[in-house]
């Protein structure tokens, strides 16, 4: 199975800050990489697919990039509703696997 | 966008089975099932095709999970047997993905989740 490793596991930031989360795959996955946001008690929501394509309705302050094994998610100008946990997920092969998550908390 | 509505929470004893349903507002092309243990990350359990019932289960769940669909009601089901305490989790159905190979896209619609608690 492909292992997905996210860092950091948590971070503290303020409203208006820019933050970047990284995700590394244990093997080549081209750009078959997706990002999700999950708020407490809620289902995950798709933010970014194919490493850098923004999903319908997602604010433009979210952006993603990378390829092969290394990827990132950037949130520019954090808003109060962005404090949540973020997961990366590979869709290169099955089983689909997720990173361990990055919790973005208010400083 | 397709909406997915799941059945309610369940409490089961170890060794029992649980069947979770997921009703779609439109036709089902393919449904994945995932789970999340309390305070933990997300785990993909498998996928089922709506039109032909083809399945692809994660090896971890092979022999213990059965996924089915009822196209007449646009409902997908996930049956997990021989429950253990570490099966306690919120189970999600999600749309998107072809369930095998490489897929440019993610899970774009999710059910609200079904908490399954396994306890004696």
């Amino acid at each position: 199975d492909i292992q997905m490793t996210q860092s950091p596991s948590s971070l503290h930031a303020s409203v208006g800050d820019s933050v970047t989360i990284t995700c590394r795959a244990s093997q080549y996955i081209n750009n078959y990489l997706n990002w999700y946001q999950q708020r407490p008690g809620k289902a995950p929501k798709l933010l970014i697919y194919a490493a850098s394509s923004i999903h319908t309705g997602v604010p433009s302050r979210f952006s993603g990039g990378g390829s092969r094994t290394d990827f990132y998610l950037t949130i520019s100008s954090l808003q109060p509703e962005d404090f949540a946990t973020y997961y990366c997920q590979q869709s290169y092969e099955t089983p689909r696997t997720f990173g361990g998550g990055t919790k973005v908390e208010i400083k | 966008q397709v909406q997915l509505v799941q059945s309610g929470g369940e409490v089961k004893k170890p060794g029992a089975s649980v069947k979770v349903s997921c009703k779609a507002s439109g036709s089902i092309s393919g449904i994945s099932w995932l789970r999340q243990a309390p305070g933990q990350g997300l785990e993909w359990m498998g996928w089922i095709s709506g039109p032909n019932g083809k399945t692809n289960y994660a090896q971890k769940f092979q022999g213990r999970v059965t996924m089915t669909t009822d196209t007449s009601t646009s409902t997908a089901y996930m049956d997990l047997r021989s429950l253990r305490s570490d099966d306690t989790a919120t189970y999600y159905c999600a749309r998107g993905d072809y369930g095998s190979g490489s897929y440019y896209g993610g899970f774009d619609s999710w059910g609200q989740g079904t908490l399954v608690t396994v306890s004696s």
Side-chain angles (χ1 to χ4, degrees):
Chain A
D1 298 358
I2 299 174
Q3 306 302 314
M4 307 299 294
T5 303
Q6 285 182 236
S7 61
S9 56
S10 67
L11 65 89
H12 291 80
S14 302
V15 173
D17 285 353
S18 176
V19 300
T20 295
I21 299 166
T22 63
C23 177
R24 172 165 287 177
S26 61
Q27 66 181 72
Y28 172 87
I29 60 169
N30 196 349
N31 61 338
Y32 291 93
L33 190 283
N34 311 304
W35 289 98
Y36 300 85
Q37 176 194 70
Q38 186 177 34
R39 298 190 178 108
K42 300 294 186 183
K45 289 184 177 180
L46 178 64
L47 298 175
I48 301 283
Y49 64 95
S52 60
S53 297
I54 196 163
H55 182 55
T56 304
V58 174
S60 58
R61 63 181 179 274
F62 291 91
S63 63
S67 66
R68 301 182 66 85
T69 60
D70 293 295
F71 305 87
Y72 64 87
L73 171 72
T74 295
I75 313 170
S76 61
S77 189
L78 271 170
Q79 298 301 298
E81 62 268 29
D82 299 337
F83 292 93
T85 300
Y86 294 84
Y87 294 95
C88 62
Q89 174 243 330
Q90 62 83 16
S91 51
Y92 182 73
E93 65 180 34
T94 58
R96 307 305 190 205
T97 50
F98 291 80
T102 296
K103 188 173 185 179
V104 177
E105 299 179 278
I106 299 175
K107 186 183 291 184
Chain B
Q1 190 164 354
V2 173
Q3 291 196 318
L4 303 173
V5 179
Q6 298 182 223
S7 50
E10 303 259 15
V11 179
K12 297 291 183 180
K13 293 192 182 302
S17 298
V18 69
K19 191 168 188 175
V20 180
S21 68
C22 170
K23 183 171 176 58
S25 60
S27 60
I28 300 174
S29 54
I31 290 288
S32 290
W33 288 91
L34 307 96
R35 74 178 187 179
Q36 185 171 38
Q40 303 301 309
L42 294 156
E43 182 174 34
W44 181 83
M45 300 177 68
W47 170 89
I48 183 166
S49 166
N52 61 23
K54 177 183 176 182
T55 55
N56 183 12
Y57 300 144
Q59 188 167 8
K60 174 177 179 177
F61 299 100
Q62 286 274 4
R64 211 159 63 94
V65 71
T66 301
M67 296 175 188
T68 56
T69 60
D70 180 345
T71 55
S72 68
T73 60
S74 298
T75 303
Y77 299 91
M78 187 283 297
D79 191 343
L80 187 62
R81 302 177 290 281
S82 303
L83 289 169
R84 308 182 289 255
S85 58
D86 62 359
D87 290 318
T88 294
T90 297
Y91 289 75
Y92 293 103
C93 60
R95 195 196 71 153
D97 206 319
Y98 299 140
S100 64
S102 301
Y103 177 74
Y104 270 130
F107 302 112
D108 59 8
S109 293
W110 294 67
Q112 81 277 20
T114 297
L115 176 60
V116 175
T117 302
V118 183
S119 174
S120 55

